Amino acid sequence: MARVALVTGGTRGIGKAISARLKADGFKVAANYAGNTEAADATAKELGVTAYKWDVGNAQACRDGVAKVEADLGPVDVLVNNAGITRDGFFHKMSEEQWDEVIRVDLSSLFYMTRPIYEGMRNRGYGRIINITSINGQKGQPGQVNYSAAKAGMIGFTKALAQEGAMKGVTVNCVAPGYIDTDMVAAVPEEVLKKIIATIPVGRLGKAEEIAHAVAFLASEQSGFVTGATMTVNGAQYIAG
Ligand code: NDP
């Protein structure tokens, strides 16, 4: 029986590449998204995956969404917490809304999404949880105090839950992308982007498929001894200790 993978934000950017790769690896894939139904429908059609709309920053919506996915496809074996947003601004100008929204969507979503799925994984004695953090959660980034805090929080969540899930066959890991060629990075002004690329030893932005490759490794049955880890995929831009 094909295992079921749920990818949040799985219809665009890095998430789309993850959905595509997991589908190619034989999973039944549910791709969640927030509101861009046009992109979601196109991805679902292109990849042969099922798209589901809900806000990962809303606890009840996550419970309902997970229940719908499990009713349609079966219990979720692989959860990829990929959906994320930025609301950048220097801290002295950052509003409470900018702070709250990023913490809610990028960090609280880990609780909202993982909580209803983890218990089933634990009971079945198998699960793979993969959280997409960021280089900026590892090193901190000016103008992104909210995002850096949320992404660093994901790493703490991963380390703690990995230890709880270890005896129950549930692995919990992070993938920490560097700068990847997606819509999120396209929003960065061109002159800023040039300066960023100059700091990447590999000399280019990463590709979404390169993140999907790391996720596929962690999602596989053979990766059962890898847990609590953060896999850095950033072209040597920042080498975390
Ligand atoms: P994109 O902006 O390209 O895609 C975001 C995806 O997440 C979309 O499918 C979007 O849905 C969905 N999404 C956004 N908010 C919500 C929400 N509240 N509920 C459900 N789905 C939501 O992002 P990227 O592919 O660039 O980033 C993916 C992840 O990788 C993020 O967590 C990001 O922080 C992280 N990352 C990205 C880097 C990069 O260089 N791009 C670098 C390091 C980390 P919709 O289409 O409906 O809007």
Side-chain angles (χ1 to χ4, degrees):
M1 267 271 283
R3 289 197 182 278
V4 174
L6 168 53
V7 184
T8 69
T11 57
R12 285 197 294 119
I14 292 171
K16 180 182 173 186
I18 295 169
S19 296
R21 175 59 190 268
L22 294 181
K23 171 79 183 174
D25 286 357
F27 290 89
K28 281 194 269 180
V29 177
N32 148 274
Y33 68 102
N36 188 338
T37 303
E38 201 179 320
D41 287 348
T43 295
K45 200 169 162 203
E46 181 189 334
L47 304 182
V49 305
T50 318
Y52 295 86
K53 178 177 156 182
W54 76 82
D55 175 7
V56 296
N58 178 312
Q60 187 60 49
C62 290
R63 283 192 290 271
D64 295 346
V66 167
K68 174 103 180 69
V69 168
E70 295 202 323
D72 290 351
L73 305 181
V76 174
D77 302 298
V78 175
L79 169 64
V80 185
N81 286 309
N82 163 77
I85 57 165
T86 52
R87 295 291 181 266
D88 296 352
F90 285 110
F91 189 66
H92 61 284
K93 291 186 179 164
M94 187 171 285
S95 67
E96 221 172 290
E97 287 73 28
Q98 281 173 297
W99 172 264
D100 284 344
E101 207 178 340
V102 167
I103 297 297
R104 185 174 63 79
V105 174
D106 293 6
L107 181 58
S108 295
S109 63
L110 255 65
F111 178 80
Y112 302 150
M113 283 303 303
T114 310
R115 182 67 182 78
I117 289 174
Y118 174 72
E119 215 167 309
M121 288 179 167
R122 206 173 170 275
N123 292 338
R124 293 189 301 277
Y126 185 86
R128 299 280 180 264
I129 298 166
I130 300 146
N131 301 319
I132 309 302
T133 175
S134 167
I135 184 174
N136 292 345
Q138 296 174 300
K139 71 171 188 58
Q141 176 67 21
Q144 291 194 323
V145 170
N146 50 0
Y147 184 79
S148 300
K151 291 293 178 182
M154 294 175 80
I155 296 174
F157 174 104
T158 298
K159 289 177 176 176
L161 189 59
Q163 294 175 64
E164 289 194 22
M167 288 300 287
K168 295 289 181 185
V170 182
T171 67
V172 191
N173 292 288
C174 278
V175 173
Y179 285 81
I180 309 299
D181 197 3
T182 67
D183 292 350
M184 187 182 264
V185 165
V188 175
E190 202 180 320
E191 62 282 12
V192 179
L193 203 54
K194 264 192 195 151
K195 283 187 193 153
I196 291 170
I197 292 172
T199 67
I200 304 173
V202 170
R204 61 170 173 85
L205 296 173
K207 298 178 194 142
E209 292 72 22
E210 291 172 313
I211 303 306
H213 187 59
V215 171
F217 167 76
L218 294 170
S220 68
E221 288 186 14
Q222 297 93 314
S223 293
F225 205 55
V226 183
T227 192
T230 295
M231 191 185 287
T232 296
V233 186
N234 68 19
Q237 187 182 4
Y238 176 74
I239 302 189

